[in-house]
Amino acid sequence: MEVPKTATKTSYGTIRNDNFPSDETGTNFNERNERFEKKYYYIVLLLCVFGGCFFYFKTRAATIEELFIEQRTQLPKLKAIRWKFVSKNNTTVDDGDGNEHDEDWHVGYLQICNDGENNPFGYRAVSDPIANRPVPCAAGEPAPVIRMVPGKHYKLILINNVEEPTNLHTHGLHISGVGHVDDITRSADPGKCLVYNYHIMDAADVGTFWYHSHRHPHASHQVAGGAHGLIIVDETDANFQRYPVHLQHFLRNEILLQYTSILDKRSNPNKRTNFLNGKMFKNTSSDGKEALLDLKLTTDQYYYFRVSFVVISDPVNFLEFYPADACDVRVVAYDGVYRSKIPHERHTHKHMLTTSSRVDLAVQCQRNADVHFHQGSKGPDSRLVSIRTIIPANKVIYDGDNVPASPFWDAQLKTQWIPRRPYYMENLCSPSSIANDIWNVSMDDTVDANGKKQISMNHHQWDPRIPIRSIEMNQLAEWTLWNTKGHPFHIHINRMQIVKGCGYRYEAGEYYDSIAAKTAACTVRLKFFDFAGRVVAHCHKLKHEDLGMMVWINAQGGPGEGVLGYPEEDCLTLF
């Protein structure tokens, strides 16, 4: 693989981007960082709250704890996969994507299960698969968070403890789609295991992602039953320490929210069920004053909301802070990719997300507010989060380590900053970039001669043997996506940069992995970096995917070309 000019080989043999973020004046963060006084603080407490792990720091002044979340919640705690480091004395192994790596692995176990009665599905972290036998899923217990760091190699073993075949897809990650990695044609029968090898190649590729079952044609009911969870790719320690202290506080001031919504069209009238971090919302109050989650946020702090939508049927959904002026809400990232400038220059209280979208937000509230999750209009059942503000007793201080959390590069001047981008997410929309693969993608919604509804992509349905088209590695593609408002378009491995004409949340020049455009046509550009072989694209209304609204593109001329998915394995040989 050709190394880009802006990247260098690392000690572990892969690529990292050497262009550290700049502020809006163009000053490199490495240069700016030299002007910051070195501070020393220690991790004193790792506290897993309702939505992930919050790191609390203690400074020499011992006051930083006051700057972080104080919250009261009914939500169950989100556990995380516990990785075990395994070293093999620097021997190498081929993980199936055509590349060899040092065989130093972080190994974890993830079990898919159901309760055997009501048949909801779920994932459970297993620390010792021999000592800890599979247990039934508890209703309302959320899936564990998978947290990773770029540059490390992870081996996740999926244990199938349900009575049907399953697999796993990591939604949004730039990883191979063949071999032991993210090939969705792989499948584990009941009692069997699948091994997944993950490696985030570029240290700039951090963000909010998610994972779910992708076993065709069982994805819809497994995901709706609870077979989904969050993935967080964290900053490396070296890069994290380069940020200003207030920005470090912001990145650790983390609130994880995964919203799930299921619409039962078989009932009359249609019945909607909402979940937040795995817990079902049941509105038992007559005045609509009940919420699933109560947050207490101090008025001098910005909080890092990392929000994931898992909506089974509705392609257009909204996250809305109300009242509109109660909180300053600014976009930090779309679909796990930092925005080109952070934070957004404008406050936006209402955000559109499709069935599988994520949005990272910087949120500072000056008065009490509610957060609604809905499909077009607020109602008693959409108010899932209640925010109660606390005015700090002490005056805000911008000095040393004892500073409030802020997403800005300069907290007082409120200047934006330009984040690093992975080498495989370069600007594809520059005037000098000429696209040489032009394709119109139609998300078909037609009726056959017998009056039966047919859904397809360019009149093709899923066939794991035959690709819909082929493309060369590193070839610049420009695709126009049609009719995505009713059929959200999602592609694996390679994210899409918006060119024009998409509406809603889709900003020109920004990257996304799922698109439900407001307009009939939406033009995007993408390149197929690093990984050849099968690249899957489909409608992300999961029922439509199960019905065959899915195709694959054959990426040619790189590692992984022609490689098939690795088969299931006997679990005992892996333990």
Side-chain angles (χ1 to χ4, degrees), residues 215-250:
R215 173 57 162 86
H216 182 75
H218 302 290
S220 179
H221 86 103
Q222 289 186 4
V223 175
H228 58 271
L230 280 165
I231 298 174
I232 302 296
V233 180
D234 289 304
E235 295 271 5
T236 64
D237 287 341
N239 285 345
F240 181 79
Q241 297 299 332
R242 295 171 179 171
Y243 290 119
V245 174
H246 61 266
L247 194 51
Q248 294 180 20
H249 294 342
F250 167 72

Side-chain angles (χ1 to χ4, degrees), residues 204-216:
D205 199 359
V206 298
T208 306
F209 307 95
W210 67 295
Y211 63 95
H212 61 87
S213 166
H214 209 307
R215 173 57 162 86
H216 182 75

